[in-house]
Amino acid sequence: MIETFRQVLEQSVARLSAQATMYLPSLFVAIVVFGVAWIAALLVRWLLLHAFKGERVDAFLRRTGIGTMLDHSGRLRASPLMAHAIYYAILLIGLLNAISVFDTDITRDIVDGVVHLLPKLLAAGAIILGGIWLAQYLGRGALVWASNEGFPWARRFCAFVRVVVVFVSIVVAADVLNFARTVFFSAFLIFSIGAVVAACLVLALNHREVYRWFASSRGRDAETGSERSLWHHL
Amino acid sequence: MSDDILSPEARQAIEKLGQADIVIGIPSYNNGRTIGHVVRAAQAGLNKYFPEFRGVIINSDGGSKDDTRRQVLEAQLDPAQLLLVETPLHPVHRLSFPYHGIPGKGSAFRMIFRMARDLGAKACAVVDSDLRSITPEWIDLLVRPVVHRGYDFVAPYYHRHKYDGTITNSIVYPLTRALYGQRIRQPIGGDFGLSGAVLETYLARKDWETDVARYGIDIWMTTIAVARGFKVCQSFLGAKLHDAKDPGADLSAMLQQVVGSVFALMIEFRDVWMRVHGSRDVELFGFRYDVGLDPIPVNLDRMVQAFVRGEADLREVWSMALSDATLRELGAIARAARSAPAAAFRISDELWVSVIYEFASAYAELPTARTHLVRSLTPLYLGRVASFVNETRDMNAAEVEERIEQLCLAFERLKPFLVERWGGPRVDEFRPRPAPAAGKPQEVSS
């Protein structure tokens, strides 16, 4: 019994020692690779933060409204944005290289998966970012129009437009990633039908207010005799 | 430039006429009720004051559904009524063609200018087709400075009711004057005299398909004439009375086209206006006299309500352009307006100037938000008009003019802040505010 136990223990130790002999150098190399990548990432980030002014990118972010979209304070600058983006990109490349050092089926699958998924992830990210920008733009247009028209729920209308546009962009991004397509498509249908029903309910419950707004806006056009003509503004 | 802005019929007419000295252009859209009078006045003006010149009246029509074009072609003038001293050497031709392109006054002008240039005109005058107060003297006053005194651009000068021309009085006149340093009182008056040289400059430009095609055309013409250094003067035309019919646009669209054009030209002529300090008078021709004016009704409550609603709804948009201090002042005014009567509503000159300058700067800085920014000015503009109505309720015409002069001086005084902050990011405070007195609550401009 004791002999059997000793044999099992010896075999286990031998297996462990064989695995350690096989994987420890790889682990060491992986740690070194990742460490080098990390140091390179830190160095590049430091360089970018100190050498790259990015005034043109700053102006672009500000002029297109992307800056305020990503950071509401409007103080987002291109230099830290680029520096952090490149820092994490180098870290990711280092991590993938470190994993690939092991050269096993699992690590190969992980690296292949990330390499194949990355373009899709970037595309999905760009779609969502574009969707948020478009939602901001269209929502703002809806807000200005509704307010100038004297629409009673201008801000809610603006929020509704934004939610719809962002939701559509999420559905498209999920489709690109091939992720929960059916779920998102069903949710989109339910949301659309729900929005129509909600709009009908709002109109039905507030019909007096809606009618008053409609009548006053029509009246504004019709009663030019008692109101200033538009010519009088010029 | 491509020939497609002129129809084959228009080109044929040019070939047939060959040459003209003076062209009178009349843009129209469903103005059958009034355009006959305008054409007769133009014809009488050419016969009476320019008998030795070849004159052509060109109507550029935007596809009227009524009998506008027929009225132009059939307008008859009885020469015996004019008591002409000199018999005209040449008959006055009347032409009417539909224009192509974006529907609007600017596109109509483009066709007129193109025809005037092709006819080799020395001078061109444009007048609105819905004028009830035009007389033959208007043609003389708009054309003579060009033909006999060498001016390139003649702007109109009218007597108007104190509540008439509020975009002119509150934004366009003070801003144009502060920017370019010339006191052209009616920069978007709509009736102008032009030389062949200035027409060439207009036609050579590439921005005809923008807001210029619509109501932006008047300020576009005036600004280019001033900024390009053409010789500019004004002519006193008496009263300007329009047909009561509204143009087919809403206020925010009209404001966008006019103010958007001013802001867009500020970007183009940045190097010109940044060098200008103060302003000077522009020569005024014509005999000035007082005239009776139609009263213009105003709905003060509605304007104040629009401002209060805009302040509640549009903060998000305004905050893209306005500094924190300006937003705070506007918020305080809106809060006060909710409880106080509309007759107490006020927006100070300094605050209004800051609003306009900050919007102009943001317009240059944020190209993707331009339409929203300018359209969101509508409630602010209505608030300023309400304030102006309150301030001038008991004033006569001279006192109102003095009040407008004060606003113009405020625009000129605060211009250095615009120059300093032009095109830069939004700031916390656009102009320095006086510190509140100790122990006394800070006053807001209401």
Side-chain angles (χ1 to χ4, degrees):
Chain A
M1 176 71 183
I2 291 172
E3 185 58 25
T4 311
F5 183 72
R6 194 179 58 80
Q7 277 178 359
V8 169
L9 201 64
E10 276 175 4
Q11 281 169 2
S12 297
V13 169
R15 257 200 319 274
L16 275 173
S17 123
Q19 279 188 343
T21 317
M22 195 166 73
Y23 287 115
L24 258 182
S26 300
L27 183 67
F28 179 72
V29 172
I31 288 168
V32 169
V33 167
F34 186 72
V36 169
W38 184 53
I39 290 165
L42 284 173
L43 200 67
V44 170
R45 188 172 67 176
W46 186 87
L47 273 173
L48 283 171
L49 283 171
H50 288 86
F52 176 67
K53 293 270 181 277
E55 282 165 2
R56 282 190 177 186
V57 186
D58 278 341
F60 173 77
L61 291 174
R62 204 169 56 231
R63 289 162 74 92
T64 52
I66 295 173
T68 42
M69 191 180 83
L70 297 174
D71 175 15
H72 280 290
S73 70
R75 292 192 174 87
L76 183 76
R77 293 290 168 267
S79 169
L81 187 74
M82 297 285 281
H84 284 100
I86 291 173
Y87 170 79
Y88 285 112
I90 294 173
L91 274 190
L92 183 69
I93 291 166
L95 186 69
L96 291 177
N97 275 308
I99 290 173
S100 66
V101 166
F102 292 100
D103 199 27
T104 61
D105 289 344
I106 297 170
T107 55
R108 269 196 297 274
D109 286 350
I110 291 171
V111 173
D112 286 352
V114 172
V115 168
H116 282 109
L117 196 64
L118 202 61
K120 286 185 174 181
L121 272 173
L122 288 175
I127 287 168
I128 289 177
L129 202 67
I132 294 170
W133 186 88
L134 193 66
Q136 294 281 342
Y137 182 84
L138 294 177
R140 213 164 53 215
L143 179 68
V144 173
W145 171 81
S147 181
N148 283 343
E149 285 295 311
F151 195 62
W153 316 285
R155 276 171 292 172
R156 284 181 213 171
F157 180 57
C158 160
F160 174 75
V161 169
R162 282 180 176 159
V163 167
V164 169
V165 177
V166 169
F167 191 72
V168 169
S169 71
I170 290 171
V171 171
V172 175
D175 189 57
V176 166
L177 289 173
N178 203 6
F179 171 73
R181 270 181 175 170
T182 321
V183 173
F184 272 109
F185 187 69
S186 310
F188 181 66
L189 274 183
I190 292 165
F191 179 81
S192 305
I193 294 165
V196 172
V197 172
C200 292
L201 276 172
V202 167
L203 287 176
L205 293 172
N206 298 282
H207 64 280
R208 282 205 183 90
E209 206 173 341
V210 172
Y211 174 76
R212 219 176 295 130
W213 167 72
F214 184 76
S216 72
S217 66
R218 291 305 96 195
R220 213 165 36 203
D221 294 340
E223 56 174 339
T224 45
S226 60
E227 280 290 303
R228 273 153 52 97
S229 155
L230 272 176
W231 281 128
H232 293 136
H233 291 277
L234 283 177
Chain B
M1 185 186 291
S2 68
D3 269 346
D4 53 0
I5 63 163
L6 292 186
S7 62
E9 294 79 25
R11 282 202 292 273
Q12 276 174 12
I14 291 169
E15 279 171 25
K16 200 172 161 190
L17 282 173
Q19 194 263 332
D21 299 311
I22 298 168
V23 167
I24 308 297
I26 308 172
S28 67
Y29 180 66
N30 289 342
N31 299 110
R33 201 164 56 171
T34 49
I35 199 165
H37 168 69
V38 177
V39 172
R40 280 191 294 277
Q43 196 171 349
L46 287 171
N47 282 335
K48 190 171 178 183
Y49 298 104
F50 303 99
E52 72 278 29
F53 290 97
R54 290 173 199 271
V56 181
I57 296 170
I58 300 172
N59 165 232
S60 179
D61 187 68
S64 297
K65 305 279 188 295
D66 63 1
D67 60 346
T68 299
R69 293 187 60 204
R70 191 172 58 80
Q71 289 287 340
V72 173
L73 299 171
E74 291 180 0
Q76 290 296 323
L77 188 69
D78 182 3
Q81 284 183 326
L82 291 177
L83 299 172
L84 297 176
V85 178
E86 288 181 68
T87 310
L89 294 178
H90 309 283
V92 173
H93 295 277
R94 280 166 288 140
L95 306 172
S96 176
F97 301 105
Y99 62 81
H100 301 296
I102 299 169
K105 189 178 174 183
S107 299
F109 274 10
R110 190 182 189 189
M111 192 191 93
I112 292 166
F113 295 166
R114 177 63 195 274
M115 290 185 74
R117 190 192 66 178
D118 289 356
L119 286 165
K122 292 185 184 74
C124 173
V126 282
V127 289
D128 285 341
S129 52
D130 63 346
L131 288 167
R132 288 191 285 123
S133 54
I134 186 171
T135 64
E137 284 69 38
W138 281 37
I139 303 303
D140 181 38
L141 288 160
L142 291 173
V143 173
R144 191 170 296 276
V146 176
V147 174
H148 293 299
R149 301 288 291 271
Y151 282 94
D152 292 301
F153 183 85
V154 187
Y157 190 105
Y158 317 105
H159 276 317
R160 301 177 80 170
H161 188 270
K162 59 186 176 184
Y163 301 151
D164 192 7
T166 39
I167 293 180
T168 300
N169 292 343
S170 60
I171 305 176
V172 180
Y173 167 55
L175 180 58
T176 310
R177 169 177 153 170
L179 289 175
Y180 302 101
Q182 301 209 29
R183 297 177 190 168
I184 299 175
R185 185 64 186 83
Q186 298 291 338
I188 53 173
D191 310 300
F192 300 101
L194 311 155
S195 71
V198 84
L199 287 185
E200 284 285 356
T201 304
Y202 293 153
L203 286 168
R205 290 181 59 96
K206 307 286 182 206
D207 52 354
W208 282 97
E209 310 283 320
T210 60
D211 284 336
V212 170
R214 302 184 179 95
Y215 290 111
I217 182 72
D218 297 325
I219 191 60
W220 179 85
M221 287 164 61
T222 305
T223 305
I224 291 168
V226 173
R228 290 263 179 251
F230 284 102
K231 213 174 157 193
V232 172
C233 69
Q234 303 176 94
S235 281
F236 179 74
L237 303 178
K240 179 167 187 169
L241 303 175
H242 274 291
D243 190 14
K245 189 165 67 67
D246 254 343
D250 66 287
L251 177 60
S252 65
M254 186 185 258
L255 200 65
Q256 180 207 326
Q257 288 158 29
V258 175
V259 180
S261 296
V262 182
F263 289 171
L265 289 162
M266 282 175 77
I267 298 169
E268 181 181 345
F269 295 119
R270 175 183 178 275
D271 293 338
V272 176
W273 61 260
M274 281 206 172
R275 290 200 307 266
V276 173
H277 303 283
S279 63
R280 63 175 176 81
D281 284 329
V282 171
E283 187 144 24
L284 176 62
F285 295 110
F287 182 75
R288 290 189 68 171
Y289 52 91
D290 281 336
V291 284
L293 298 165
D294 289 347
I296 293 170
V298 286
N299 190 330
L300 200 62
D301 284 331
R302 185 174 280 173
M303 289 192 286
V304 174
Q305 277 168 21
F307 171 81
V308 172
R309 191 176 52 239
E311 198 278 332
D313 290 338
L314 298 175
R315 270 187 154 284
E316 175 195 328
V317 186
W318 292 356
S319 66
M320 295 168 74
L322 299 178
S323 60
D324 293 342
T326 306
L327 275 173
R328 273 198 302 276
E329 275 192 75
L330 290 169
I333 292 171
R335 279 194 298 281
R338 285 193 187 96
S339 51
F345 185 85
R346 294 284 189 283
I347 291 178
S348 71
D349 285 356
E350 280 73 20
L351 177 58
W352 177 241
V353 176
S354 297
V355 165
I356 295 299
Y357 280 168
E358 289 175 49
F359 266 85
S361 186
Y363 186 92
E365 177 61 9
L366 305 169
T368 56
R370 282 177 182 166
T371 309
H372 300 153
L373 279 173
V374 184
R375 283 196 174 227
S376 77
L377 254 180
T378 310
L380 286 164
Y381 159 73
L382 289 173
R384 173 62 196 182
V385 174
S387 172
F388 181 78
V389 168
N390 283 332
E391 287 173 49
T392 59
R393 185 174 291 114
D394 302 319
M395 289 184 185
N396 60 32
E399 288 167 336
V400 170
E401 207 53 37
E402 180 53 38
R403 183 68 195 81
I404 294 168
E405 179 65 19
Q406 283 173 21
L407 176 65
C408 292
L409 293 175
F411 267 89
E412 290 178 19
R413 202 168 51 248
L414 295 180
K415 187 179 169 187
F417 298 109
L418 173 70
V419 172
E420 194 183 319
R421 297 188 170 129
W422 173 256
R426 185 176 162 271
V427 289
D428 293 337
E429 195 166 64
F430 180 77
R431 63 183 157 90
R433 263 77 170 170
K440 197 177 157 191
Q442 186 173 3
E443 277 183 24
V444 292
S445 320
S446 59

